[in-house]
Amino acid sequence: QVQLVESGGGLVQAGGSLRLSCAASGRTFSGYAMGWFRQAPGKEREFVAQITWSNGRTYYGDSVKGRFTISRDSAKNTVYLQMNSLKPEDTAVYYCAARVVVISDFSSWGQGTQVTVSS
């Protein structure tokens, strides 16, 4: 059973930075892709970033390209989302998710962490 626990959310001023962490447990993740998604009130869930655990290949949503960086630490089984140049529109609950690489749907989700960016 995959377990994902996010941390690192909080309140930050526009232009600031935050780093989110996702601690993963329950199995070996070499055949997995890890993703970050976010959902703001009244809006649909939005893809933020993804990293393939085995080779580190990354993908980003258009709204965060150039500002956010996803990375992983295999020794700690932890995925990070470094968020720079934050904007008020980045305010949302951020979720960590995992999927088997050969399956398109993310099947495991964390509980989410709130990020609030003030103007």
Side-chain angles (χ1 to χ4, degrees):
Q1 184 76 10
V2 173
Q3 292 184 324
L4 306 172
V5 179
E6 303 99 331
S7 61
L11 174 64
V12 64
Q13 288 188 333
S17 298
L18 278 176
R19 188 178 78 157
L20 304 183
S21 300
C22 172
S25 61
R27 64 173 303 120
T28 302
F29 290 93
S30 57
Y32 275 70
M34 308 296 292
W36 285 97
F37 292 78
R38 66 187 183 186
Q39 188 165 21
K43 295 188 177 181
E44 294 186 353
R45 187 170 61 197
E46 177 187 12
F47 168 76
V48 174
Q50 175 185 293
I51 187 166
T52 303
W53 202 280
S54 60
N55 60 18
R57 182 170 294 179
T58 58
Y59 301 93
Y60 295 92
D62 289 341
S63 61
V64 306
K65 281 180 182 177
R67 300 188 298 123
F68 291 11
T69 302
I70 189 171
S71 62
R72 86 269 194 245
D73 184 331
S74 297
K76 296 182 179 180
N77 260 13
T78 299
V79 176
Y80 302 99
L81 184 69
Q82 178 66 43
M83 306 185 294
N84 298 329
S85 302
L86 283 162
K87 306 175 182 179
E89 51 264 43
D90 294 317
T91 295
V93 178
Y94 284 70
Y95 297 93
C96 177
R99 65 175 178 88
V100 177
V101 168
V102 295
I103 298 175
S104 60
D105 293 336
F106 284 85
S107 57
S108 299
W109 295 82
Q111 82 287 353
T113 186
Q114 176 70 47
V115 172
T116 302
V117 184
S118 63
S119 56

